[in-house]
Amino acid sequence: MHHEDLFPGNNDMNAVPLAKTVVVLGARIHDDGTLSPALVRRLQRLVLVWQRNRGGPGAIGTIVLSGGRPKGYPGEMAEAEVMAEWLVAAGVPGQMMVLEDASRTTRENALYSLMWARRCGVRKIHVLTDWAHLPRAMLVFLIIGRGSGIRVRGVAAPLSWSLSSLRAIGRECVAIAADAIRAWRVSRP
């Protein structure tokens, strides 16, 4: 495992090596169906990457939208479905999207997305999530994907500095150790 796998040092759009497959991790959807600011930032980042690289050597071929219905979520649609609707409205072609709508945790995001990648012969994926969530997500993807031959890189959506962002950073600091231990227990794809 390389340091840059866990903590990509440069999030400049032109400096991030893009894969043909990008996995976008879901985030909270409010009870009224509106997307959380974190999820909007992730989707906006994806649209920007897609627009800037369309037709070029770093063009995205497949977008895996990873997110199910979290415990207690009253909505009828999974996070992946809501993300797909938002992206289509933003102009991203629906045929580029694969909906992974069973996961409810970062560990399940990793397991199900890596299972899909292995089944489809995908050898490299980029995981797109929030800046604060990226270290934990990358650690979980690398642990669960160990030995799969699938290269995993991270792309961070920008973080807006606010009280809720500081809470998110604190939550991630606590969750990283617990998720690392739990990820070792997950069967590999």
Side-chain angles (χ1 to χ4, degrees), residues 40-139:
V40 171
R41 285 191 304 274
R42 294 173 194 188
L43 297 175
Q44 288 172 335
R45 173 75 167 177
L46 177 71
V47 170
L48 185 61
V49 170
W50 173 71
Q51 288 172 339
R52 287 193 177 171
N53 295 282
R54 206 174 345 180
I60 299 170
T62 304
I63 300 165
V64 178
L65 302 172
S66 184
R69 290 177 188 83
K71 244 183 206 179
Y73 173 64
E76 295 180 18
M77 294 174 61
E79 290 172 356
E81 295 168 306
V82 174
M83 289 189 285
E85 281 188 357
W86 193 97
L87 289 168
V88 167
V92 179
Q95 62 266 28
M96 295 178 69
M97 300 174 206
V98 173
L99 304 186
E100 182 287 289
D101 60 1
S103 60
R104 296 183 306 167
T105 66
T106 302
R107 290 180 314 282
E108 289 177 355
N109 290 145
L111 179 63
Y112 301 149
S113 296
L114 288 164
M115 286 171 60
W116 172 86
R118 189 167 195 183
R119 193 171 50 247
C120 294
V122 173
R123 307 308 307 155
K124 182 178 180 184
I125 62 173
H126 271 69
V127 176
L128 193 158
T129 189
D130 271 354
W131 176 87
H133 183 235
L134 187 61
R136 179 166 63 101
M138 288 300 298
L139 183 62

Side-chain angles (χ1 to χ4, degrees), residues 12-25:
D12 178 76
M13 288 304 307
N14 298 316
V16 176
L18 295 175
K20 298 248 187 255
T21 300
V22 176
V23 177
V24 183
L25 303 187

Side-chain angles (χ1 to χ4, degrees), residues 119-188:
R119 193 171 50 247
C120 294
V122 173
R123 307 308 307 155
K124 182 178 180 184
I125 62 173
H126 271 69
V127 176
L128 193 158
T129 189
D130 271 354
W131 176 87
H133 183 235
L134 187 61
R136 179 166 63 101
M138 288 300 298
L139 183 62
V140 169
F141 268 80
L142 291 170
I143 290 171
I144 291 176
R146 67 194 183 280
S148 68
I150 300 169
R151 292 182 62 209
V152 180
R153 298 284 185 221
V155 178
L159 185 67
S160 66
W161 292 101
S162 65
L163 184 57
S164 64
S165 296
L166 293 174
R167 280 194 298 263
I169 291 169
R171 182 178 58 246
E172 291 300 324
C173 289
V174 171
I176 196 165
D179 259 6
I181 292 166
R182 290 180 189 126
W184 276 105
R185 297 179 183 157
V186 172
S187 299
R188 292 182 282 191

